[in-house]
Amino acid sequence: TLDGAVNKTGILLALCFSGAAIGWNIPALMLPAMIVGFILAMVTIFRSKEKAGSTAPLYALSQGIFLGGITLMYENMFDGIAIQAIGLTFGILASLLVCYKSGLIKPTENFRLMVTAGIGGIFMLYMVSFVMSFFGSGITLLSPTNGSLMSIGLSLGIVCFASLSLVLDFDFIEEGANQGLPKYMEWYGAFALMVTLIWLYLEILRLLSKIRSR
């Protein structure tokens, strides 16, 4: 049901914030938590959607610890950036939910193709940068301290695609409720929404850091 998915999203958000408090106070846990969260996400997506009721809460908690640690790093560089990023993330979430429910944004087939293609391109960019990092370099446009207009423009584009991904998550949850999918899909829908929100938050942090670097 729609209410069930909303309630489970609230639980995951509460766990994420609890984890963030731990990560903020014990930043050494950031890297292990990120690895655990990544593994749990891959297991949930590709192996066991039925077990999302177990894996999604653990994912939210571990990613919360990671977010707490990385947010502290950004906050040490730019005072006040954390509250700005949190405010923008939930502001975008609320705005897009209103636009979706009012019909201003409709997830048509062309919309889905556009967002999916954009996410695919961004993922390839991440992977190229990741591989390049092993050779002592990387894509400088992705650096959070690169305040060039081109770098800021790239981050702004990524934030836009991350934001539009929320619309696909809303539609997935609503369609699943209308079709009467199994109960465990409430957890999976909430998990999918959390993955997008975490991605959006990290990209907003990066964008604000680039702007502040100027």
Side-chain angles (χ1 to χ4, degrees), residues 1-3 5-6 9-10 13 88-108 111-112 115 160-179 181 185-186 188-197 200:
T1 65
L2 195 58
D3 285 345
V6 170
T9 301
L13 281 171
L88 280 171
T89 301
F90 284 97
I92 290 171
L93 173 65
S95 299
L96 285 176
L97 183 57
V98 170
C99 290
Y100 173 76
K101 295 301 289 182
S102 64
L104 288 175
I105 298 179
K106 296 180 180 179
T108 61
F111 179 90
R112 294 173 191 276
V115 175
C160 287
F161 275 103
S163 301
L164 293 176
S165 298
L166 290 172
V167 176
L168 298 185
D169 293 328
F170 298 152
D171 188 59
F172 172 76
I173 291 171
E174 187 170 50
E175 285 298 310
N178 292 337
Q179 294 172 19
L181 294 182
M185 291 301 285
E186 291 179 351
Y188 188 76
F191 161 77
L193 189 57
M194 280 298 302
V195 170
T196 306
L197 275 176
L200 176 61

Side-chain angles (χ1 to χ4, degrees), residues 9-182:
T9 301
I11 292 171
L12 296 186
L13 281 171
L15 286 169
C16 188
F17 274 104
S18 299
I22 297 172
W24 180 278
N25 289 290
I26 315 175
L29 295 176
M30 181 177 70
L31 187 58
M34 181 189 71
I35 295 170
V36 169
F38 178 77
I39 293 171
L40 287 168
M42 293 300 101
V43 169
T44 306
I45 295 169
F46 296 110
R47 298 291 295 177
S48 56
K49 292 181 175 65
E50 309 83 26
K51 300 289 178 58
S54 300
T55 57
L58 292 174
Y59 167 82
L61 183 62
S62 60
Q63 287 301 89
I65 294 172
F66 165 66
L67 290 180
I70 200 167
T71 300
L72 179 62
M73 289 173 56
Y74 277 96
E75 186 70 19
N76 287 335
M77 289 190 294
F78 305 105
D79 186 48
I81 196 173
I83 194 67
Q84 291 176 345
I86 293 170
L88 280 171
T89 301
F90 284 97
I92 290 171
L93 173 65
S95 299
L96 285 176
L97 183 57
V98 170
C99 290
Y100 173 76
K101 295 301 289 182
S102 64
L104 288 175
I105 298 179
K106 296 180 180 179
T108 61
E109 194 61 33
N110 287 335
F111 179 90
R112 294 173 191 276
L113 286 172
M114 178 192 72
V115 175
T116 303
I119 293 172
I122 292 166
F123 177 74
M124 290 300 297
L125 189 67
Y126 287 158
M127 290 305 297
V128 170
S129 183
F130 178 70
V131 172
M132 287 175 65
S133 68
F134 287 106
F135 300 95
S137 62
I139 299 177
T140 57
L141 289 177
L142 291 175
S143 171
T145 56
N146 186 341
S148 70
L149 291 177
M150 187 176 292
S151 179
I152 291 173
L154 176 63
S155 279
L156 192 58
I158 294 175
V159 166
C160 287
F161 275 103
S163 301
L164 293 176
S165 298
L166 290 172
V167 176
L168 298 185
D169 293 328
F170 298 152
D171 188 59
F172 172 76
I173 291 171
E174 187 170 50
E175 285 298 310
N178 292 337
Q179 294 172 19
L181 294 182

